[in-house]
């Protein structure tokens, strides 16, 4: 038996997102988001699933908070649906939508749970996408208007703020690969989206400072850690490109005020350029207070000129995989956190980490041992990272409950709590009780 003791002020939490859990898509004055549109486009989402009902957390959030209290978390990461606040994107404020989140945040605080808010977790008002989306400065200005409404409403109640969740997914997964909403498949569009969201991030941080909003603000990139298949420079360079597109492409502008030149040059070869306007980089590099890091898996990559715009191919190395097909390899989290130190020993929270394990109910229980094993491995690496002196301040498991997993619909389950999507009955899995014990003890026991 090995015991890993965590720091006494370490934050333990779980994470969700508005479109994935709320449902009530046509209630409370909510407007249409790009995910409502994308999910209704034939062939985009498995089984034609959508977020119309999801986990019905819009109506069941008090039940969800009871589960959080039972779990013992002190931090809960969630997102606000922009289309509930300003339904057409940049017009009138929908007070009914704002009041829903006021009730929710007050209930979290009443339960002694710290709200950890993501302003944008992918549900862009469709009206803005129709007018060019993140590549149009109208959307940038609309985001700042939306953010300022939330800042003013929740200053003093919320102390942890994230502008964007997984900017690589927003820009490249959704606009170069076309796998997520809005489904574009164009490199220049993706680069325009990435730049637009970065300018929006910077302007929102400037507003946050100007308005004197309480707490700390940052952004939550998702990690792509990759190690070379061989010692060849070509394989290492392929890994460098993959890692940098998820991380450096966004964090270099924020922390250094410029894009990583080797990738700018790489994209120029492909005929794509960054639409930088005067003053943009100064705006983007407005200092932030924290980083959220989302880690799921890592790859062994090699150079392959046929492997997409980055010419970086991830190989199947025969590792154990989760049910969504991602290799279970916690070592990448440790390696990435040391890679991240090039931006300084900044305050970091793991804002997403978890396993897609599709175990179902058996005799009223869900024996998701594979999820427990995944968490054991990753929390052991978290302890190792802290022990190395890295400022890792907290951990939020993805996810509190099974939910709408984007293009995979409801077939892929990441939750510590099982959701029956017909009855909406929530059932804590064995991993819930395992995590409950880790939180209660504030230590991890690795079984022999
Ligand atoms: C076949 C080619 O494939 C290219 C990569 O395609 C993907 C798809 C999906 C992801 C992905 C999904 N998640 C989990 C979510 N994070 C945010 C939260 O909302 C979770 O639901 N993280 N990354 C990455 C890459």
């Amino acid at each position: 038996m090995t015991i890993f003791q965590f720091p006494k002020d370490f934050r333990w939490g779980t994470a969700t997102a508005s479109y994935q859990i709320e449902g009530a898509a046509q209630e409370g004055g909510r407007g249409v988001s790009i995910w409502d549109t994308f999910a209704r486009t034939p062939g985009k989402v498995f089984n034609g699933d959508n977020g119309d009902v999801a986990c019905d957390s819009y109506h069941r959030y008090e039940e969800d908070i009871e589960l959080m209290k039972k779990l013992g978390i002190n931090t809960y990461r969630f997102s606000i649906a922009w289309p509930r606040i300003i339904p057409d994107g940049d017009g009138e404020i929908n007070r009914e939508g704002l009041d829903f989140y006021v009730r929710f945040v007050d209930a979290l605080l009443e339960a002694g749970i710290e709200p950890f808010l993501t302003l944008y977790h992918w549900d862009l008002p469709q009206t803005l996408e129709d007018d060019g989306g993140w590549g149009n400065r109208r959307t940038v200005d609309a985001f700042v208007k939306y953010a300022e409404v939330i800042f003013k409403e929740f200053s003093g109640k919320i102390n942890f703020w994230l502008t964007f969740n997984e900017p690589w997914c927003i820009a490249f997964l959704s606009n170069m690969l076309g796998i997520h909403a809005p489904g574009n498949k164009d490199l220049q569009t993706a680069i325009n989206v990435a730049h637009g969201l970065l300018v929006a991030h910077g302007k929102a941080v400037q507003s946050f400072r100007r308005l004197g909003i309480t707490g700390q603000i940052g952004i939550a990139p998702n990690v792509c850690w990759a190690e070379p298949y061989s010692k060849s420079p070509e394989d290492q360079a392929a890994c460098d490109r993959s890692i940098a597109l998820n991380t450096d492409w966004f964090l270099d502008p924020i922390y250094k005020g410029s894009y990583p030149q080797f990738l700018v040059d790489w994209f120029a070869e492909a005929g794509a350029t960054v639409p930088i306007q005067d003053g943009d980089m100064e705006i983007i590099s407005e200092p932030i207070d924290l980083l959220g890091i989302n880690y799921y898996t890592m790859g062994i990559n090699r150079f392959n000129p046929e492997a997409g715009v980055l010419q970086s191919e991830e190989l199947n190395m025969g590792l154990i995989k989760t049910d969504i097909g991602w290799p279970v390899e916690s070592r990448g989290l440790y390696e990435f956190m040391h890679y991240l130190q090039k931006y300084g020993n900044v305050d970091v929270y793991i804002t997403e980490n978890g396993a897609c394990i599709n175990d179902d109910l058996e005799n009223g229980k869900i024996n998701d041992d594979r999820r427990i094993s995944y968490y054991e491995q990753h929390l052991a690496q978290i302890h190792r990272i802290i022990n190395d002196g890295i400022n890792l301040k907290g951990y939020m498991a993805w996810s509190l409950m099974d939910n709408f997993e984007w293009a995979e619909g409801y077939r892929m389950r990441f939750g510590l709590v099982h959701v029956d999507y017909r009855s909406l009955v929530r059932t804590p899995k064995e991993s819930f009780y395992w995590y409950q014990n880790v939180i209660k003890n504030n230590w991890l026991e690795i079984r022999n």
Side-chain angles (χ1 to χ4, degrees):
M1 172 79 70
T2 306
I3 302 281
F4 296 105
Q5 176 71 56
F6 286 85
K8 64 176 173 41
D9 56 353
F10 190 72
R11 287 197 169 276
W12 291 105
T14 58
T16 62
S18 47
Y19 189 81
Q20 295 180 270
I21 68 166
E22 285 179 2
Q26 287 84 35
E27 286 185 50
R30 177 184 178 283
V32 176
S33 77
I34 57 174
W35 269 96
D36 296 302
T37 305
F38 192 72
R40 277 176 170 66
T41 307
K44 299 300 185 185
V45 177
F46 174 76
N47 190 41
D49 290 343
N50 61 52
D52 284 358
V53 176
C55 307
D56 194 35
S57 288
Y58 182 82
H59 298 109
R60 300 168 191 255
Y61 69 85
E62 289 156 319
E63 184 182 349
D64 295 344
I65 291 175
E66 286 307 309
L67 283 167
M68 297 177 211
K69 287 163 66 176
K70 183 177 180 178
L71 184 56
I73 60 173
N74 56 33
T75 305
Y76 179 63
R77 179 180 175 231
F78 66 103
S79 74
I80 286 180
W82 183 349
R84 289 196 188 284
I85 309 304
I86 306 178
D88 68 1
D90 56 5
E92 296 302 310
I93 296 168
N94 172 36
R95 187 69 230 182
E96 187 178 1
L98 204 47
D99 287 343
F100 164 69
Y101 293 107
V102 169
R103 291 194 300 277
F104 177 66
V105 168
D106 287 348
L108 277 180
L109 295 172
E110 179 63 28
I113 297 170
E114 187 81 40
F116 202 112
L117 174 67
T118 309
L119 285 165
Y120 185 80
H121 201 127
W122 305 356
D123 35 9
L124 180 71
Q126 183 62 46
T127 52
L128 295 171
E129 182 61 34
D130 292 342
D131 196 20
W134 289 105
N136 183 343
R137 295 288 165 119
R138 176 189 170 193
T139 301
V140 170
D141 295 337
F143 176 76
V144 175
K145 176 181 176 180
Y146 154 65
E148 289 181 352
V149 169
I150 304 302
F151 289 155
K152 292 170 185 171
E153 186 69 38
F154 295 103
S155 184
K157 290 184 176 181
I158 293 178
N159 292 302
F160 294 92
W161 307 78
L162 296 169
T163 53
F164 289 92
N165 180 68
E166 299 186 347
W168 176 87
C169 288
I170 299 168
F172 296 96
L173 182 64
S174 305
N175 289 281
M176 180 176 74
L177 299 176
I179 294 173
H180 281 189
N184 297 314
K185 296 183 180 180
D186 177 70
L187 175 60
Q188 186 61 65
T189 301
I191 289 174
N192 296 347
V193 167
H195 189 68
L197 75 84
L198 279 169
V199 175
H201 160 85
K203 286 190 170 192
V205 176
Q206 289 181 332
S207 292
F208 184 90
R209 304 292 184 219
R210 184 177 68 253
L211 294 168
I213 307 302
T214 61
Q216 298 176 301
I217 191 165
I219 191 169
N222 58 306
V223 166
C224 168
W225 188 250
E227 292 179 352
Y229 173 69
S230 79
K231 294 290 187 188
S232 72
E234 295 77 14
D235 287 358
Q236 181 59 60
C239 292
D240 293 345
R241 292 191 295 273
S242 290
I243 293 167
L245 191 57
N246 282 62
T247 305
D248 306 42
W249 192 257
F250 300 99
L251 297 191
D252 273 27
I254 291 172
Y255 284 105
K256 298 179 178 178
S258 61
Y259 283 90
Q261 195 56 47
F262 83 104
L263 269 185
V264 170
D265 296 341
W266 183 268
F267 290 141
E269 286 296 308
T273 57
V274 187
I276 300 172
Q277 296 180 18
D278 288 348
D280 284 354
M281 301 316 291
E282 184 181 350
I283 291 167
I284 294 170
S285 57
E286 182 71 23
I288 58 175
D289 308 305
L290 60 84
L291 277 179
I293 294 296
N294 296 353
Y295 176 92
Y296 289 95
T297 185
M298 67 165 278
I300 301 294
N301 287 43
R302 71 179 173 192
F303 169 68
N304 177 348
E306 306 300 317
V309 70
L310 295 182
Q311 299 181 2
S312 179
E313 176 191 11
E314 182 177 343
L315 298 172
N316 183 346
M317 300 299 285
L319 289 178
I320 288 172
K321 296 180 176 68
T322 63
D323 292 344
I324 201 170
W326 300 347
V328 178
E329 181 51 274
S330 61
R331 190 168 50 81
L333 177 55
Y334 180 83
E335 300 300 335
F336 174 80
M337 289 303 293
H338 279 279
Y339 176 83
L340 193 65
Q341 296 309 293
K342 68 179 182 175
Y343 298 109
N345 198 2
V346 298
D347 282 5
V348 179
Y349 294 81
I350 299 300
T351 37
E352 285 182 34
N353 178 244
C356 174
I357 303 294
N358 298 332
D359 293 331
D360 220 323
L361 274 157
E362 283 180 28
N363 305 318
K365 289 177 69 174
I366 298 102
N367 296 301
D368 54 339
D369 282 350
R370 292 182 294 153
R371 177 174 284 107
I372 293 172
S373 174
Y374 178 97
Y375 277 124
E376 280 184 341
Q377 296 173 53
H378 288 78
L379 286 181
Q381 296 291 353
I382 295 285
H383 188 273
R384 194 176 165 214
I385 289 159
I386 295 168
N387 191 59
D388 283 359
I390 291 175
N391 283 332
L392 182 45
K393 301 286 190 179
Y395 179 88
M396 283 146 248
W398 183 270
S399 180
L400 170 66
M401 63 185 126
D402 297 334
N403 58 57
F404 177 78
E405 182 49 40
W406 309 111
E408 300 293 349
Y410 294 104
R411 68 173 166 172
M412 296 300 173
R413 295 176 177 268
F414 278 86
L416 293 163
V417 174
H418 178 275
V419 176
D420 178 321
Y421 293 111
R422 287 179 302 279
S423 67
L424 297 166
V425 166
R426 284 101 157 105
T427 308
K429 302 176 186 177
E430 291 310 296
S431 57
F432 175 100
Y433 299 107
W434 176 87
Y435 190 45
Q436 181 186 57
N437 198 46
V438 169
I439 295 169
K440 176 170 66 68
N441 294 331
N442 199 33
W443 73 62
L444 170 68
E445 295 178 16
I446 300 285
R447 302 163 292 187
N448 289 331

